[in-house]
């Protein structure tokens, strides 16, 4: 069994400046030793990681206001500061990396609060749909006007809808976006979408892309929909008071890519983590733990020479639906795709009630090489006397676009939003039948939410996997031209 030197108990210190982070790496590349896994692992210190986490939390607080929590959601001051921090840190290693931003436009938004009172009663299961425009912090007051059919045609919207609130059947062959847009064109101030009991439309649904004629839009659950339908049969007019606080807009954000100047450019080892959080919290575990692990490894890697090129990626808008990684992969040419020998994804490495989960890549079901990566993780945990659990790919993180593009991929994580099962408790300890991360997507996902032992262990594993393949891809399967 190999001895794993951990430094988590000494984890303290002030945030590292960009200059502090890179001064030690100013030796010319020709004088540096060839990358070695143990040597790279030995540079990983929990005190450096936690110092960066404290700095990241200060960035999240830049977004804080009366209406907004500390957050690093895309488009926020906190996320913009995160991107600048990653970019500027790596630009100070410009003799080792080429660093670039890859901008792209996404539809984003957040409804902070929503209220819908109909006939004087608050409907608590009336939920603002995703990407709805707000009511500008004011209550809209008007009469409820029923829209004909499914509200998919302009002729379904009666003239009396002007300055009132549209009640629209959420079913039919047109989107919520179309219904909200047509309501706005007809002069409605807001729209309320009803739902059938067995409706397969996701709840609350989304307007998909902000458009000028969209109006503040609510979705009702099926029981509230029945209640409204019964009400309008026996009473007219029905008064409505509605309010949505929030925003929806097109946002330009960036992926950040850093690639070693040296190393075989036709055989690239790629690692990635998402840089954003959800709106409701600062995202220090999800995914500050992943992005900072990669940043720390990137800084320490600059002390070494590599045989194969190493490409780091910090993907934006993962929390909006893997948008950054999807955009990156979609824009690869076939030739560029084949140069990526393997992709490793790191998301949530420091969950407080941690486990060591490895994605169960199998060459029979996934691009060939995914199984070899899985086995590398297995061997490392085993060599250090650590338990692990194999878990299936679930499509919820940035590895997914790579797998779909035929690129071998995998990763590890410390537990997401599930509960620790008995067999996991026996392997890892912690709290039985408690969440892996009780602050997942919440305001409490701050520095106190990090398990430093798990974080340092997993960051050393990140370093090991990267160093292994940066040194040699001998025995790792060659890329196939096509994968199905």
């Amino acid at each position: 069994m190999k001895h794993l030197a951990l430094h988590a108990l000494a984890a303290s210190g002030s945030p590292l400046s960009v200059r502090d982070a890179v001064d030690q790496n100013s030796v010319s590349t020709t004088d540096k030793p060839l990358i070695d896994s143990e040597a790279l692992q030995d540079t990983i210190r929990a005190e450096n990681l936690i110092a960066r986490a404290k700095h990241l939390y200060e960035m999240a607080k830049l977004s804080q206001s009366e209406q907004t929590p500390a957050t690093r959601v895309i488009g926020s001051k906190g996320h913009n500061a995160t991107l600048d921090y990653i970019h500027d840190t790596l630009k100070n290693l410009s003799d080792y990396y080429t660093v670039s931003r890859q901008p792209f436009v996404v539809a984003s938004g957040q409804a902070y609060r929503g209220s819908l009172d109909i006939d004087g009663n608050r409907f608590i299961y009336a939920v603002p749909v995703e990407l709805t425009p707000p009511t500008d912090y004011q209550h809209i007051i008007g009469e409820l006007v029923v829209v004909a059919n499914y509200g998919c045609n302009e002729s379904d919207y009666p003239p009396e809808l002007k300055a009132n609130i549209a009640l629209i059947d959420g079913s039919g062959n047109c989107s919520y976006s179309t219904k909200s847009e047509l309501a706005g064109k007809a002069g409605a101030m807001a729209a309320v979408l009803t739902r059938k009991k067995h409706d397969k439309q996701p709840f609350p649904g989304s307007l998909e892309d902000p458009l000028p004629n969209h109006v503040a839009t609510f979705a009702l659950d099926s029981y509230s929909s029945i209640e409204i339908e019964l009400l309008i049969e026996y009473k007219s007019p029905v008064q409505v008071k509605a309010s949505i606080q929030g925003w929806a807009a097109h946002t330009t954000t960036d992926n950040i890519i850093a690639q070693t100047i040296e190393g075989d450019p036709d055989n690239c080892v790629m690692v990635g983590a998402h840089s954003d959080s959800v709106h409701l919290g600062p995202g220090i575990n999800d995914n500050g733990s992943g992005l900072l692990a990669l940043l720390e490894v990137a800084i320490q890697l600059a002390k070494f020479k590599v045989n194969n090129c190493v490409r780091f990626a910090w993907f934006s808008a993962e929390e909006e639906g893997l948008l950054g990684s999807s955009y990156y992969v979609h824009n690869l040419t076939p030739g560029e795709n084949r140069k990526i020998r393997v992709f490793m994804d790191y998301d949530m490495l420091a969950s407080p009630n941690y486990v060591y989960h490895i994605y169960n890549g199998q060459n029979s079901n996934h691009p060939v090489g995914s199984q070899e990566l899985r086995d590398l993780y297995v061997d490392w945990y085993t060599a250090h006397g650590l338990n692990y659990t194999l878990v299936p790919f679930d499509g919820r993180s940035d590895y997914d676009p790579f797998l779909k593009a035929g690129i071998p991929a995998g990763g590890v994580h410390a537990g997401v939003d599930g509960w620790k099962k008995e067999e996991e408790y026996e392997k890892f300890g912690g709290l039985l039948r408690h969440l892996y991360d009780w602050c997942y997507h919440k305001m409490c996902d701050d520095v106190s939410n990090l398990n430093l032992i798990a974080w340092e262990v997993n960051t050393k594993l990140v370093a090991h996997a990267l160093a292994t393949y940066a040194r040699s891809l001998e025995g790792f399967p060659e890329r196939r031209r096509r994968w199905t």
Side-chain angles (χ1 to χ4, degrees):
M1 181 189 301
K2 294 182 181 178
H3 176 67
L4 184 62
L6 295 179
H7 307 270
L9 296 180
S12 61
S14 58
L16 301 181
S17 70
V18 171
R19 182 171 296 278
D20 292 335
V22 301
D23 275 351
Q24 57 188 319
N25 297 318
S26 57
V27 179
S28 67
T29 305
T30 55
D31 297 327
K32 295 176 181 179
L34 179 62
I35 184 63
D36 174 77
S37 172
E38 293 296 333
L40 185 60
Q41 289 180 63
D42 285 345
T43 67
I44 303 303
R45 298 286 187 273
E47 55 263 33
N48 288 345
L49 294 172
I50 194 65
R52 296 190 191 286
K54 291 176 180 178
H55 192 32
L56 190 67
Y57 184 65
E58 292 302 312
M59 297 178 214
K61 287 166 63 176
L62 296 173
S63 302
Q64 202 165 21
S65 70
E66 188 174 322
Q67 301 295 336
T68 308
T71 184
R72 296 184 307 100
V73 69
I74 60 166
S76 68
K77 292 180 180 178
H79 187 243
N80 291 339
T82 301
L83 296 178
D84 289 342
Y85 175 58
I86 296 168
H87 181 268
D88 293 349
T89 298
L90 296 169
K91 285 295 285 186
N92 277 271
L93 294 167
S94 58
D95 61 336
Y96 194 84
Y97 294 108
T98 57
V99 185
S100 62
R101 291 180 182 257
Q102 183 186 41
F104 61 101
V105 178
V106 298
S108 62
Q110 181 68 40
Y112 312 138
R113 296 184 181 91
S115 65
L116 182 69
D117 294 356
I118 299 178
D119 196 35
N121 297 310
R122 174 69 53 87
F123 279 74
I124 61 173
Y125 296 110
V127 181
V129 302
E130 294 176 10
L131 298 178
T132 177
T135 59
D136 296 326
Y137 301 99
Q138 298 177 353
H139 281 95
I140 290 172
I141 299 175
E143 294 181 7
L144 194 63
V145 177
V146 178
V147 172
N149 304 313
Y150 295 112
C152 293
N153 300 297
E154 289 188 15
S155 58
D156 295 333
Y157 294 79
E160 56 267 29
L161 189 55
K162 188 172 183 179
N164 284 312
I165 289 84
L167 182 67
I168 310 171
D169 189 329
S171 306
N173 295 323
C174 64
S175 66
Y176 280 7
S177 177
T178 296
K179 296 172 193 284
S180 182
E181 183 182 25
L182 290 175
K185 287 181 176 179
M189 295 189 295
V192 178
L193 302 172
T194 62
R195 182 180 181 86
K196 299 291 192 293
K197 187 174 182 180
H198 300 293
D199 195 342
K200 295 182 179 180
Q201 169 79 15
F203 185 80
S206 174
L207 297 188
E208 300 169 5
D209 193 33
L211 296 174
N213 288 306
H214 280 164
V215 293
T217 304
F218 291 87
L220 294 176
D221 73 324
S222 58
Y223 295 102
S224 299
S225 298
I226 293 172
E227 188 176 348
I228 293 294
E229 289 167 2
L230 291 172
L231 176 65
I232 60 178
E233 280 188 28
Y234 296 101
K235 184 171 184 180
S236 181
V238 174
Q239 291 293 315
V240 176
K241 183 168 71 171
S243 173
I244 294 176
Q245 298 178 20
W247 61 277
H250 290 100
T251 300
T252 299
T253 187
D254 296 336
N255 294 326
I256 295 179
I257 311 298
Q259 182 168 315
T260 55
I261 294 171
E262 295 195 349
D264 183 356
D266 292 328
N267 289 282
C268 268
V269 178
M270 188 166 182
V271 291
H274 73 87
S275 61
D276 59 316
S277 76
V278 295
H279 166 76
L280 292 175
I284 303 304
N285 182 36
D286 182 16
N287 182 36
S289 62
L291 80 88
L292 293 175
L294 260 61
L295 187 61
E296 183 65 19
V297 170
I299 290 167
Q300 302 302 335
L301 179 66
K303 299 174 180 178
F304 301 91
K305 293 186 293 187
V306 293
N307 289 328
N308 299 311
C309 93
V310 177
R311 186 179 303 164
F312 292 87
W314 287 267
F315 295 119
S316 188
E318 188 265 3
E319 299 289 5
E320 310 298 320
L322 314 183
L323 300 183
S325 54
S326 296
Y327 183 83
Y328 177 83
V329 172
H330 177 76
N331 283 280
L332 291 171
T333 66
E336 290 168 338
N337 176 308
R338 286 193 296 274
K339 290 177 182 179
I340 302 173
R341 293 292 301 277
V342 62
F343 174 74
M344 296 169 275
D345 180 60
Y346 298 112
D347 192 352
M348 299 183 65
L349 300 181
S351 301
N353 194 24
Y354 71 89
V355 289
Y356 294 132
H357 279 173
I358 303 171
Y359 289 117
N360 190 15
Q362 301 175 60
N363 289 345
S364 57
N365 298 321
H366 307 112
V368 173
S370 301
Q371 185 167 316
E372 283 74 9
L373 175 59
R374 178 202 69 184
D375 292 345
L376 180 144
Y377 294 138
V378 167
D379 291 345
W380 189 89
Y381 281 132
T382 301
H384 292 91
L386 299 170
N387 292 316
Y388 62 87
T389 302
L390 298 178
V391 295
F393 287 114
D394 57 10
R396 293 177 58 186
S397 197
D398 288 317
Y399 59 78
D400 194 55
F402 288 84
L403 288 175
K404 290 177 177 175
I407 298 170
V412 299
H413 64 82
V416 186
D417 56 349
W419 301 76
K420 181 168 281 186
K421 299 179 282 294
E422 187 167 348
E423 57 269 28
E424 293 174 326
Y425 173 73
E426 293 173 358
K427 285 184 174 183
F428 307 105
L431 298 174
L432 177 62
R433 289 187 284 276
H434 281 65
L435 292 167
Y436 303 124
D437 182 354
W438 37 77
C439 289
Y440 176 70
H441 286 187
K442 295 179 182 177
M443 285 187 288
C444 58
D445 187 10
D446 54 23
V447 176
S448 67
N449 192 46
L450 300 167
N451 187 295
L452 298 185
I453 292 175
W455 197 10
E456 186 175 353
V457 165
N458 280 328
T459 305
K460 286 179 179 288
L461 177 51
V462 171
H464 168 67
L466 184 147
T468 299
Y469 294 135
R471 184 182 180 101
S472 175
L473 285 161
E474 183 178 355
F476 195 85
E478 296 284 342
R479 284 292 308 280
R480 296 179 177 178
R481 288 189 174 271
R482 294 186 63 188
W483 179 81
T484 56

